[in-house]
């Protein structure tokens, strides 16, 4: 069997097109432009690239993009003053602080300072709690993107066996909660899980979010399963030591012979994250104005 490759890049383009359409409607019908503010503290080169991508894609869908670059030595008080200002600004519907922040700043405290209604990363305790209690909040972008891919491929997830490897607050826990909300039977696996391969073999849906290159082998996968590879590891390229390549948590070539469908790395889950950030910003904007939410962009 050769698995279908799930094209996250194309799917993300479709999400962005839906967002752009909704942004246009909000502007033409209500005179509202959704706005996303991104805060970057320090000069981490990878973060600068991520922030530039977010800015470009925000502008491309017709939203307002507010970029705030602060020096690495910014105090917590100054960062919080900016967040408070963005919380109070009616033209800002989503706020994101790019992590990692310099060591003297506490990430949890930074997230907690953001108004939960503008926490488009879905990382706050309030939004995590709303998700866990089955209420409406803003959902962490990467798990939301994975759920969209799964629904598109499988339709109703009810009763399916889902195994999520990884239990981080950023990904694993919200992914597990989302699958539970879809009535899947969810197993959360982690570094202390015994006989991980056997646990994974019962999965109709296998989601790997560990950060260990190609750890999921073909004999861990039930024939026909849908495999979502969230992991990203950068390694030297075997053919050219001057280059690097990205690897997922799944041994793609071997697993593709067993699975029914699989996301590649790159080009699978990765592009969904920013697309869902934009989707969350439109959702937050609609909620702030008491308007109907766009179909299919929120849970
Ligand atoms: P994390 O906070 O480091 O969590 C990793 C999880 O993997 C932990 O729960 C850990 O278990 C578990 N784990 C570690 N070794 C294991 C093993 N040998 N067997 C089973 N489980 C093991 O990482 P994260 O933030 O969730 O990210 C995970 C991966 O996804 C990374 O590669 C990251 O780059 C990628 N990611 C990609 C995107 C994207 O595409 N946009 C977004 C988010 C994350 P314990 O809890 O027991 O330590």
């Amino acid at each position: 069997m050769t698995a279908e490759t799930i094209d996250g890049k194309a799917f993300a383009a479709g999400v962005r097109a839906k967002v752009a359409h909704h942004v246009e409607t909000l502007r033409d019908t209500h005179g509202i432009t959704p706005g996303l503010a991104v805060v970057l503290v320090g000069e981490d080169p990878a973060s600068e690239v991520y922030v530039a991508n977010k800015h470009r894609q925000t502008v491309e869908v017709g939203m307002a993009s507010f970029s705030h670059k602060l020096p690495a030595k910014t105090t917590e008080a100054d960062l919080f003053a900016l967040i408070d200002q963005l919380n109070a600004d009616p033209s800002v519907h989503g706020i994101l602080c790019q992590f990692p922040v310099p060591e003297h700043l506490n990430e949890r405290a930074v997230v907690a300072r953001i108004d939960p209604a503008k926490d488009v990363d879905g990382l706050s305790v309030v939004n995590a709690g709303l998700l866990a209690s089955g209420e409406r909040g803003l959902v962490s972008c990467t798990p939301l993107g994975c759920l969209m891919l799964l629904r598109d491929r499988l339709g109703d997830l009810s009763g399916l066996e889902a195994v999520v490897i990884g239990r981080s607050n950023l990904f694993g826990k919200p992914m597990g909660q989302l699958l539970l909300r879809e009535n899947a039977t969810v197993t959360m696996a982690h570094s202390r899980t015994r006989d991980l391969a056997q646990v994974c073999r019962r999965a109709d849906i296998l989601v790997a979010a560990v950060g260990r290159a190609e750890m999921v082998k073909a004999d861990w996968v039930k024939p026909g399963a849908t495999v979502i590879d969230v992991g990203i590891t950068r390694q030297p390229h075997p053919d050219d030591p001057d280059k690097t390549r990205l690897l997922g948590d799944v041994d793609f070539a071997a697993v593709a012979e067993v699975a029914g469908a699989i996301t590649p790395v790159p080009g699978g889950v990765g592009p969904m994250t920013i697309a869902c950030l934009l989707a969350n910003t439109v959702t937050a904007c609609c909620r702030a104005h008491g308007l109907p939410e766009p179909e299919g962009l929120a849970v």
Side-chain angles (χ1 to χ4, degrees):
M1 177 193 286
T2 303
E4 175 199 332
T5 300
I6 298 174
D7 187 346
K9 205 173 164 190
F11 198 92
V15 171
R16 290 197 304 276
K18 272 191 204 162
V19 169
H21 175 71
H22 211 78
V23 169
E24 198 180 351
T25 308
L26 282 170
R27 192 188 55 224
D28 294 350
T29 314
H30 302 283
I32 298 166
T33 302
L36 173 65
V38 176
V39 180
L40 174 64
V41 187
E43 283 103 34
D44 177 57
S47 293
E48 296 209 357
V49 172
Y50 295 141
V51 167
N53 276 339
K54 284 169 187 167
H55 170 74
R56 180 176 50 78
Q57 294 190 31
T58 304
V59 171
E60 276 171 8
V61 295
M63 300 202 297
S65 172
F66 308 99
S67 293
H68 295 270
K69 288 184 81 174
L70 304 179
K73 61 180 188 328
T74 299
T75 62
E76 184 181 79
D78 285 344
L79 176 58
F80 283 5
L82 172 62
I83 293 173
D84 292 348
Q85 184 194 316
L86 297 172
N87 282 340
D89 185 342
S91 62
V92 173
H93 303 97
I95 304 169
L96 176 151
C97 186
Q98 185 68 45
F99 290 151
V101 286
E103 267 180 21
H104 66 281
L105 298 168
N106 178 321
E107 290 187 354
R108 298 306 300 164
V110 172
V111 170
R113 194 76 180 192
I114 297 171
D115 177 351
K118 296 190 179 188
D119 166 33
V120 281
D121 246 350
L123 295 180
S124 65
V125 169
V126 172
N127 278 315
L130 289 169
L131 178 62
S133 54
E135 291 180 49
R136 203 182 64 158
L138 289 164
V139 176
S140 184
C141 303
T142 309
L144 178 59
C146 292
L147 183 67
M148 287 181 186
L149 295 175
L150 286 166
R151 276 179 174 167
D152 180 64
R153 155 129 184 111
L154 297 169
D156 185 8
L157 309 185
S158 190
L160 296 180
E161 288 278 348
V163 174
V164 180
I165 320 174
R167 56 173 165 178
S168 66
N169 291 335
L170 175 70
F171 182 83
K173 284 179 191 149
M175 187 74 246
Q177 294 290 353
L178 283 173
L179 288 163
L180 198 56
R181 188 184 270 208
E182 297 290 310
N183 299 313
T185 302
V186 182
T187 302
M188 302 291 306
H190 45 78
S191 66
R192 312 289 176 89
T193 298
R194 273 182 287 168
D195 201 350
L196 183 58
Q198 193 183 333
V199 170
C200 291
R201 269 195 293 275
R202 66 172 181 248
D204 302 304
I205 296 170
L206 180 59
V207 184
V210 175
R212 288 170 70 111
E214 299 184 327
M215 74 176 268
V216 175
K217 304 297 180 196
D219 64 354
W220 294 28
V221 176
K222 179 175 169 176
T226 300
V227 179
I228 304 289
D229 191 353
V230 184
I232 303 172
T233 307
R234 190 173 286 279
Q235 284 194 347
H237 200 286
D239 303 330
D240 184 349
D242 294 335
K243 288 189 182 156
T244 59
R245 62 173 180 167
L246 294 182
L247 290 175
D249 285 347
V250 177
D251 182 353
F252 183 89
V255 169
E257 295 299 317
V258 182
I262 183 169
T263 57
V265 175
V269 171
M272 292 299 290
T273 300
I274 299 183
C276 288
L277 175 69
L278 303 177
N280 275 348
T281 305
V282 173
T283 300
C285 175
C286 292
R287 289 178 186 169
H289 290 276
L291 294 169
E293 291 170 25
E295 289 275 317
L297 293 182
V299 290

